[in-house]
Amino acid sequence: MPKKPDRRVRKTKSHLRAGLSKLMQHKSIKEITVKELVEEVDINRSTFYLHYTDIYNLLETIENELQEEILKIIQEHPVSPFNEASFPFIEDIFLILWENKDICSALLGPNGDMAFVSRIESIISEHSLRVLKATFPENMDSLKYSYSFCLTGCIGLIKTWLDSDTGESPQHMADLTFRLIMNALKDIYPKP
């Protein structure tokens, strides 16, 4: 088991991550400099370079950590038909989004990394389509359109939630998402 970094290292990395999130709300990653970031979080440049080679390496590290969390959740929720038992998967995804709200909001925002968003969509799509194919094997031809509709709607819902300060919990948002997907699929593919 890898050794956990000490508290100072975790705190420094957390500050850098928060600073990057804040700067990405207003600038693209191409416009953000190490100097600007370290001034934002009040650390020395040399401290930044102890952990990262450049801004892109910091962003890549953050994105890889998020991807690993999502892959872990997928492994914890094996493929089964889409039904009430699917709710914990959706809830766990919303918990990750909530725990990483600042950086997820920045990544999904106008200055975000759309390549990363596409990569995550692809990972979740692969898992979700397997589940939906098991649930609706007789409707394979039109399933991709229904899924695309649901995925696009979920991304919009997530963006709105992350950008709002209304305080809906991850559980509330997971429940709403689950009900919206269930209703959309029920109307499209009614069970006999």
Side-chain angles (χ1 to χ4, degrees):
M1 186 165 160
K3 186 179 172 186
K4 196 173 185 178
D6 74 31
R7 189 179 340 170
R8 290 174 302 183
V9 171
R10 289 193 313 267
K11 188 175 180 180
T12 298
K13 289 183 174 185
S14 176
H15 286 313
L16 288 168
R17 181 178 164 139
L20 182 64
S21 300
K22 186 175 179 182
L23 292 171
M24 284 180 69
Q25 296 294 337
H26 309 287
K27 293 180 166 192
S28 76
I29 193 73
K30 296 174 194 171
E31 300 170 309
I32 299 171
T33 65
V34 170
K35 181 178 188 282
E36 182 179 25
L37 176 59
V38 298
E39 286 174 1
E40 175 71 33
V41 298
D42 195 27
I43 65 166
N44 296 321
R45 286 172 63 100
S46 58
T47 303
F48 175 90
Y49 288 115
L50 281 174
H51 306 290
Y52 307 104
T53 56
D54 56 24
I55 292 290
Y56 296 102
N57 178 239
L58 169 59
L59 181 62
E60 179 184 19
T61 301
I62 292 168
E63 290 176 346
N64 288 342
E65 289 169 357
L66 286 169
Q67 181 175 328
E68 287 302 313
E69 286 186 60
I70 290 169
L71 288 169
K72 182 180 176 206
I73 286 173
I74 289 171
Q75 290 173 350
E76 291 171 356
H77 299 281
V79 175
S80 64
F82 189 80
N83 56 32
E84 287 75 19
S86 303
F87 179 76
F89 170 73
I90 296 170
E91 186 177 32
D92 286 350
I93 293 292
F94 274 92
L95 286 169
I96 286 177
L97 294 169
W98 182 256
E99 291 166 358
N100 298 282
K101 182 179 180 180
D102 292 344
I103 194 65
C104 288
S105 180
L107 289 169
L108 288 167
N111 298 311
D113 184 354
M114 290 303 109
F116 172 72
V117 173
S118 294
R119 196 166 75 213
I120 296 304
E121 283 179 359
S122 178
I123 290 168
I124 291 175
S125 291
E126 185 179 320
H127 173 72
S128 299
L129 281 171
R130 276 196 312 266
V131 171
L132 291 172
K133 285 176 184 177
T135 309
F136 305 107
E138 67 282 354
N139 294 303
M140 298 298 290
D141 293 336
S142 57
L143 187 61
K144 64 183 175 184
Y145 299 111
S146 302
Y147 178 74
S148 178
F149 177 80
C150 289
L151 178 64
T152 303
C154 287
I155 297 296
L157 181 142
I158 289 167
K159 282 181 170 183
T160 301
W161 176 58
L162 291 175
D163 290 339
S164 72
D165 290 324
T166 55
E168 287 93 354
S169 70
Q171 293 78 14
H172 171 77
M173 297 306 298
D175 181 59
L176 177 61
T177 302
F178 177 76
R179 285 186 287 122
L180 289 169
I181 293 170
M182 285 297 281
N183 285 333
L185 294 174
K186 179 181 68 169
D187 290 343
I188 296 168
Y189 306 113
K191 290 281 185 187

